[in-house]
Amino acid sequence: MAATKLKQNKQLVLLRHAKSSWDDPFIEDFDRPLAKRGRKAAARLATWLKQHRVRPDLILCSPAVRTRETLALIVDALGEKADIAYDKALYLAEADALLAKIQAADNAAACVMLIGHNPGMHELALSLLKPGAKGDRGRLEEKFPTAAIARFKVPVAHWADLQPGEAALVDFIKPADLDD
């Protein structure tokens, strides 16, 4: 059997769920749906993802209602090839747990998208940046708001080899960047 050639530069896309609703104070955090503002932001993100040809092979998604709804609003813009894995361990996970889930991804996936929650998503994004990286780093350090995307180029053939401080930030997009 011939060995599969693995792509040397992979792409990682971190997406924080869109803005959730706080209209019902009695609803459990896990069950909070998206707010109207969040649905609008997700629709704008879908347009951006399609225009920039973001095509994940694997989507790792927290099963919380707001992350599932965010994914539902963008999935058509991502092409048809993505495998989707909902994992309860991603719900409110810390950065090291999120990194471990990415490191466990199938190496055949050239692009992995992770849809989750803060503060873990923000901490993970910051930890992945190469030291001295310029560009959107300052904006990323400032805040990782709801419906924000951080897209990285990672110089590994095997996801298990991904370590903090190795990723190059390609894009950091906030919903306000996409306003008409």
Side-chain angles (χ1 to χ4, degrees):
M1 179 192 319
T4 303
K5 185 173 179 176
L6 298 174
K7 194 165 182 179
Q8 205 50 26
N9 278 309
K10 295 190 181 291
Q11 187 177 128
L12 175 64
V13 180
L14 302 180
L15 169 58
R16 184 175 172 205
H17 63 80
K19 183 79 175 163
S20 60
S21 173
W22 290 86
D23 290 345
D24 183 347
F26 299 106
I27 197 165
E28 294 290 328
D29 181 72
F30 186 88
D31 297 322
R32 278 191 293 118
L34 292 181
K36 183 177 180 182
R37 182 174 135 201
R39 290 189 298 277
K40 286 181 182 178
R44 289 193 313 271
L45 281 178
T47 300
W48 186 90
L49 290 162
K50 188 171 187 170
Q51 288 172 344
H52 289 84
R53 304 186 54 77
V54 175
R55 301 285 184 263
D57 301 297
L58 174 63
I59 300 170
L60 303 172
C61 186
S62 161
V65 170
R66 60 193 179 273
T67 49
R68 293 175 74 96
E69 287 184 355
T70 299
L71 176 56
L73 291 167
I74 66 166
V75 73
D76 288 343
L78 301 175
E80 298 179 12
K81 67 178 184 173
D83 289 328
I84 300 171
Y86 296 99
D87 187 339
K88 184 130 185 175
L90 298 174
Y91 174 65
L92 301 180
E94 294 183 10
D96 58 344
L98 295 173
L99 179 58
K101 291 294 181 179
I102 295 164
Q103 290 169 328
D106 185 342
N107 293 319
C111 179
V112 171
M113 176 181 271
L114 175 65
I115 305 174
H117 313 267
N118 265 357
M121 293 290 283
H122 191 198
E123 292 166 357
L124 175 62
L126 291 172
S127 76
L128 290 172
L129 286 174
K130 287 182 181 182
K134 297 190 188 315
D136 288 326
R137 182 186 186 98
R139 291 179 56 220
L140 180 58
E141 286 174 342
E142 209 175 281
K143 187 176 183 182
F144 200 114
T146 54
I149 295 174
R151 183 165 58 153
F152 296 92
K153 185 166 105 177
V154 292
V156 296
H158 301 92
W159 286 107
D161 295 335
L162 177 61
Q163 297 298 317
E166 293 185 337
L169 186 63
V170 176
D171 294 298
F172 180 54
I173 304 299
K174 298 178 183 181
D177 301 332
L178 305 173
D179 285 341
D180 299 324

